Amino acid sequence: MKVLVTGGAGFIGANFVQQTVRERAGAHVTVLDALTYAGDRGSLAPVAERVELVEGSITDAALVDRLVSESDVVVHFAAESHNDNSLDDPSPFVQTNLVGTFTLLEAVRKHGTRFHHISTDEVYGDLELDDPAKFTPETPYNPSSPYSSTKAGSDLLVRAWVRSFGVPATISNCSNNYGPYQHIEKFIPRQITNLIDGVRPRLYGAGLNVRDWIHVEDHNAAVWAIIDKGQIGETYLIGADGEKNNLDVVRTLLELFGRDADDFDHVADRPGHDMRYAIDATRLRDELGWSPRYTRFHDGLAATIDWYRANEAWWRPAKAAVEAKYARTGQ
Ligand code: NAD
Ligand code: DAU
């Protein structure tokens, strides 16, 4: 099977490529990645000899057409992915998330290629802290940020291309991932690398916002379950019942580093900050038989800390610039 992975040099995509090469002997993987600030060849180093990396943009129609014509399945991870960056400059989010997804859809339409679109639970907006509800595939779209609105738009493009043109596509909307190779602009790796440097973690606002954490390997196992057994045209929500507020996550990290429970700072809140995300993954569990392997968040975090300690050369070059950018917004 020839698999084209867009965004395969980013966090989730690189883990997907590594898992695919490890677990699927018959798969031939090509990665299309623009190697933006979030993409890193080094994230594919362990499998470099078994993967073809094409440096280019998903908005390049001629390149996308050629690569899609040579593929059996396209797994579309490429995106601008960070909410804080989308508040600073939404423009690349519109280009990559909307125009890039459109460009891929036109190519898979022309070649009749199986397409799986990776999306986020943020398309549903947020929930109140005391709401017993979780997101389901029927929850109305209500995105809050430039990031989540461009992801919502990309999902709607996929749905329209399925219905209007019969494109053989599926969509998955996943909750917050953690694990190795996550960019240090994101919450968990930012705090881990701060703690390695002896710097106090930074909590936006009161820290009561809830995220539904899932290990990246569990996300990617679900993606393969959908590609193998999912129904064309369906949306699957991916989540592992991992709701935690940000304060609890910081306190767990402090405990794992042997630091005092109050050894962190509150900083400026994110404008429009979503309060809570929570996924109901019943369809994925019941129809496709998926279940998460990482059920103990504490252990998953400890392993993630070990990875960042052992791979300082991977993240260190970006650290000063990431922190300088946060300093400009008081975060
Ligand atoms: P990331 O920012 O770590 O990686 C994105 C990758 O896409 C990078 O390698 C980057 O170079 C590449 N890219 C960006 N613009 C491109 C373009 N125009 N052409 C080709 N490549 C381009 O992101 P991530 O956290 O790995 O997220 C991957 C996907 O998963 C995204 O679609 C995101 O919306 C979705 N998602 C992420 C999470 C999460 O918690 N991180 C959760 C649910 C869904
Ligand atoms: O829900 C899925 C989404 O999860 C994905 O679609 C996004 O691509 C991914 O980035 C993530 O979005 P969040 O905005 O939830 O993730 P982030 O890591 O930026 O922040 C997680 C929470 O931590 C959020 O409530 C903001 C807070 N935060 C973040 C940073 C960087 C802090 O308190 N301090 C920080 O330093």
Side-chain angles (χ1 to χ4, degrees):
M1 183 193 261
K2 292 183 184 159
V3 187
L4 177 62
V5 181
T6 73
F11 164 43
I12 308 176
N15 278 283
F16 180 84
V17 170
Q18 291 202 28
Q19 270 171 266
T20 301
V21 168
R22 271 201 312 270
E23 294 166 11
R24 300 197 159 224
H28 178 274
V29 180
T30 300
V31 168
L32 172 59
D33 198 296
L35 298 179
T36 67
Y37 80 95
D40 188 337
R41 267 177 207 283
S43 303
L44 294 171
V47 292
E49 284 176 7
R50 297 210 24 215
V51 171
E52 184 188 353
L53 171 58
V54 178
E55 184 176 348
S57 174
I58 57 169
T59 60
D60 179 341
L63 175 62
V64 164
D65 184 78
R66 177 174 68 76
L67 294 174
V68 168
S69 77
E70 296 164 357
S71 306
D72 300 311
V73 56
V74 178
V75 192
H76 174 34
F77 291 92
E80 286 291 337
S81 70
H82 193 36
N83 276 299
D84 292 326
N85 292 344
S86 81
L87 298 169
D88 184 44
D89 178 11
S91 167
F93 289 76
V94 172
Q95 284 306 315
T96 289
N97 301 357
L98 288 169
V99 178
T101 301
F102 161 75
T103 306
L104 284 159
L105 284 168
E106 285 294 83
V108 295
R109 167 156 89 107
K110 179 172 163 194
H111 297 288
T113 312
R114 176 79 170 87
F115 186 71
H116 182 70
H117 178 62
I118 305 290
S119 193
T120 169
D121 58 359
E122 296 193 17
V123 299
Y124 300 114
D126 62 351
L127 299 161
E128 299 295 333
L129 290 180
D130 59 357
D131 188 340
K134 296 187 173 196
F135 299 137
T136 74
E138 286 71 43
T139 305
Y141 274 38
N142 187 27
S144 312
S145 73
Y147 162 67
S148 54
S149 60
T150 55
K151 290 299 291 188
S154 69
D155 293 12
L156 298 182
L157 291 175
V158 177
R159 289 185 184 191
W161 263 242
V162 170
R163 174 149 176 179
S164 301
F165 304 123
V167 162
T170 41
I171 299 175
S172 54
N173 297 83
C174 188
S175 59
N176 285 62
N177 286 220
Y178 73 99
Y181 298 103
Q182 185 167 29
H183 196 278
I184 55 165
E185 69 190 350
K186 303 294 190 331
F187 178 49
I188 287 178
R190 183 183 183 205
Q191 314 315 332
I192 290 174
T193 52
N194 276 350
L195 284 161
I196 288 172
D197 282 350
V199 173
R200 289 156 71 94
R202 307 269 198 263
L203 205 48
Y204 291 179
L208 299 181
N209 307 66
V210 169
R211 298 295 182 262
D212 190 354
W213 293 99
I214 182 172
H215 194 278
V216 63
E217 286 184 20
D218 285 330
H219 179 179
N220 285 328
V223 170
W224 268 118
I226 296 165
I227 295 168
D228 287 340
K229 300 182 276 184
Q231 284 184 55
I232 297 302
E234 284 297 344
T235 291
Y236 294 87
L237 268 55
I238 306 175
D241 298 320
E243 283 185 72
K244 304 259 177 304
N245 75 30
N246 296 336
L247 181 58
D248 286 343
V249 173
V250 160
R251 289 226 155 105
T252 306
L253 289 171
L254 286 165
E255 180 212 317
L256 286 163
F257 274 87
R259 298 268 294 261
D260 191 85
D262 291 327
D263 213 357
F264 63 87
D265 292 321
H266 291 282
V267 294
D269 206 350
R270 173 184 284 170
H273 197 173
D274 280 342
M275 186 49 81
R276 171 177 164 245
Y277 307 138
I279 290 276
D280 177 347
T282 302
R283 173 179 284 168
L284 182 68
R285 288 177 183 263
D286 291 358
E287 280 182 25
L288 305 186
W290 171 90
S291 59
R293 285 181 52 234
Y294 289 82
T295 50
R296 291 164 62 94
F297 183 63
H298 189 275
D299 295 353
L301 267 192
T304 304
I305 292 170
D306 289 345
W307 188 87
Y308 280 90
R309 282 195 197 281
N311 290 276
E312 186 166 339
W314 180 86
W315 58 265
R316 175 62 69 192
K319 184 67 179 166
V322 165
E323 291 306 321
K325 190 168 178 192
Y326 277 124
R328 289 204 292 275
T329 50
Q331 293 173 315

